[in-house]
């Protein structure tokens, strides 16, 4: 069995890689930080680990990643690479946002499409896309990130339902955590307003729920409750709450 994990050099992706290695998956780990991926390869001695350096903010790299692996049978794809950009929409540099859209949306779309087609031909395989609680609403001062995760959540839900109707053995799930203790906030230049969950816990929870065919995976009681209660407030009100949550984060640290 073989798994491809994007963004495996740190945080949730690294922990998913460790857990899948524990389960006996040979790994292909992809990200920009080759040194960190090599460290992970050296740590995981029980399975074979192949390191691929890619920058998914460049659209072509997503196609190249698939092309590199045409001779490999990928049983498990984790689209985890992603980042956030804090600031008012009018103030965040367009280039940052385009990099975000390519990494968080285009790469997820391209890799999901290409590997799903192969998995459907074999009628087996698993795709875990990493969304976020940000995928359930708008995010003033974090607008592109929230919008990108809305895309990931809705795309995955639609594919999940298509596969269910086809009675396919291929599984697809979306992980939607709230704050998790990783490097994410440093990259996005924010501080979390709430204490983050442990990345190891989130990774294990996500892989276990994906194995059971769950469509949307929300780790932790607080975020499950937040999602439940969000159904009772209107979109407009939810956007206001979201602004309040984001404004507790200090973009300048
Ligand atoms: N932490 C949270 O609170 C939280 C909550 C909800 C959802 N998420 C989602 O969880 C996923 C993982 O984030 P994390 O929290 O684990 O943060 P992280 O520790 O910053 O990890 C992000 C990973 O994505 C990779 N990455 C970023 N840009 C990339 C690019 N252009 N090309 C290839 N790889 C790239 C990074 O690798 P390199 O830098 O080596 O390229 C790194 O391995 C993201 O999709 C994030 O949106 C995080």
């Amino acid at each position: 069995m073989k798994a491809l994990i994007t963004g495996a050099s740190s945080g949730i992706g690294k922990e998913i890689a460790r857990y899948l290695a524990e389960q006996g998956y040979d790994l292909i780990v992809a990200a920009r930080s080759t040194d960190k991926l090599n460290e992970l390869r050296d740590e995981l001695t029980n399975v074979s680990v192949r390191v691929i350096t890619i920058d998914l903010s460049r659209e072509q790299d997503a196609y190249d990643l698939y092309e590199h692996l045409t001779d490999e049978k990928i049983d498990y794809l984790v689209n985890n690479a992603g980042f956030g950009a804090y600031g008012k929409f009018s103030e965040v540099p367009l280039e940052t946002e385009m990099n975000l859209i390519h990494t968080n949306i285009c790469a997820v779309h391209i890799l999901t499409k290409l590997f799903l087609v192969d998995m459907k031909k074999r009628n087996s395989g698993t795709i875990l896309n990493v969304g976020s609680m940000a995928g359930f609403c708008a995010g003033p001062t974090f607008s592109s990130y929230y919008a990108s995760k809305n895309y990931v959540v809705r795309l995955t839900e639609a594919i999940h339902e298509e596969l269910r109707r086809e009675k396919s053995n291929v599984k697809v799930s979306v992980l939607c955590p709230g704050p998790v203790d990783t490097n994410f906030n440093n990259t996005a230049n924010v501080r979390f307003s709430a204490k983050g969950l442990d990345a190891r816990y989130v990774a294990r929870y996500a892989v276990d729920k994906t194995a059971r065919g769950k469509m949307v995976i929300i780790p932790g009681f607080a975020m499950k409750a937040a999602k439940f209660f969000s159904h009772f407030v209107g979109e407009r009100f939810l956007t206001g709450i979201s602004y309040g949550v984001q404004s507790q984060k200090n973009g300048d640290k």
Side-chain angles (χ1 to χ4, degrees), residues 5-10 14 17 28-44 49-54:
I5 303 140
T6 69
S9 61
S10 125
K14 188 175 180 178
I28 296 142
V29 291
R32 292 166 302 181
S33 310
T34 316
D35 50 343
K36 290 187 191 163
L37 294 174
N38 284 339
E39 274 172 31
L40 184 64
R41 183 194 57 203
D42 296 345
E43 173 196 317
L44 302 175
V49 181
R50 180 173 165 193
V51 167
I52 300 183
T53 307
I54 42 152

Side-chain angles (χ1 to χ4, degrees), residues 146-165:
Y146 274 60
S148 73
K149 293 301 181 179
N150 272 267
Y151 186 90
V152 174
V153 171
R154 294 306 182 204
L155 181 76
T156 313
E157 286 176 333
I159 300 167
H160 185 282
E161 181 61 11
E162 287 176 8
L163 293 171
R164 191 182 72 79
R165 300 260 172 175

Side-chain angles (χ1 to χ4, degrees), residues 9-223:
S9 61
S10 125
I12 298 168
K14 188 175 180 178
E15 293 299 339
I16 290 177
R18 285 178 171 148
Y19 192 37
L20 291 178
E22 248 177 73
Q23 297 186 358
Y25 280 89
D26 288 326
L27 304 182
I28 296 142
V29 291
R32 292 166 302 181
S33 310
T34 316
D35 50 343
K36 290 187 191 163
L37 294 174
N38 284 339
E39 274 172 31
L40 184 64
R41 183 194 57 203
D42 296 345
E43 173 196 317
L44 302 175
T45 49
N46 64 319
V47 293
S48 119
V49 181
R50 180 173 165 193
V51 167
I52 300 183
T53 307
I54 42 152
D55 182 350
L56 291 171
S57 68
R58 300 190 298 233
E59 192 174 303
Q60 189 55 42
D61 278 29
Y63 291 105
D64 291 348
L65 178 59
Y66 177 76
E67 288 303 321
H68 277 311
L69 299 172
T70 41
D71 294 335
E72 314 249 15
K73 178 174 156 277
I74 302 298
D75 303 288
Y76 205 125
L77 165 66
V78 184
N79 278 309
N80 164 78
F83 71 97
Y86 180 85
K88 286 185 187 162
F89 181 73
S90 56
E91 292 169 7
V92 177
L94 183 56
E95 192 189 350
T96 306
E97 291 173 328
M98 294 316 292
N99 286 341
L100 185 153
I101 289 167
H102 280 115
T103 308
N104 294 12
I105 298 180
C106 299
V108 174
H109 187 113
I110 292 165
L111 294 172
T112 299
K113 166 84 80 183
L114 296 174
F115 285 105
L116 181 73
V117 169
D118 293 345
M119 287 176 182
K120 281 185 71 170
K121 279 184 199 148
R122 300 195 302 264
N123 197 25
S124 75
T126 302
I127 299 177
L128 171 57
N129 287 336
V130 179
S132 168
M133 283 295 285
F136 300 127
C137 60
T141 70
F142 225 59
S143 52
S144 308
Y145 179 73
Y146 274 60
S148 73
K149 293 301 181 179
N150 272 267
Y151 186 90
V152 174
V153 171
R154 294 306 182 204
L155 181 76
T156 313
E157 286 176 333
I159 300 167
H160 185 282
E161 181 61 11
E162 287 176 8
L163 293 171
R164 191 182 72 79
R165 300 260 172 175
E166 291 165 6
K167 300 194 178 359
S168 172
N169 288 328
V170 179
K171 292 188 172 83
V172 59
S173 299
V174 60
L175 168 64
C176 296
V180 185
D181 286 330
T182 66
N183 211 30
F184 178 85
N185 45 352
N186 290 327
T187 309
N189 199 28
V190 292
R191 277 197 315 247
F192 288 136
S193 45
K195 187 174 161 16
L197 290 177
D198 175 49
R200 184 168 184 266
Y201 165 77
V202 169
R204 285 167 180 255
Y205 187 83
V207 170
D208 291 347
K209 290 289 179 187
T210 301
R212 281 180 224 141
K214 187 119 175 84
M215 180 170 72
V216 177
I217 301 164
I218 302 176
F221 175 75
M223 289 303 138

Side-chain angles (χ1 to χ4, degrees), residues 136-140 226 229-245:
F136 300 127
C137 60
F229 286 112
S230 73
H231 295 302
F232 301 103
V233 298
E235 286 276 329
R236 182 69 197 84
F237 188 67
L238 203 56
T239 305
I241 294 175
S242 176
Y243 181 85
V245 170

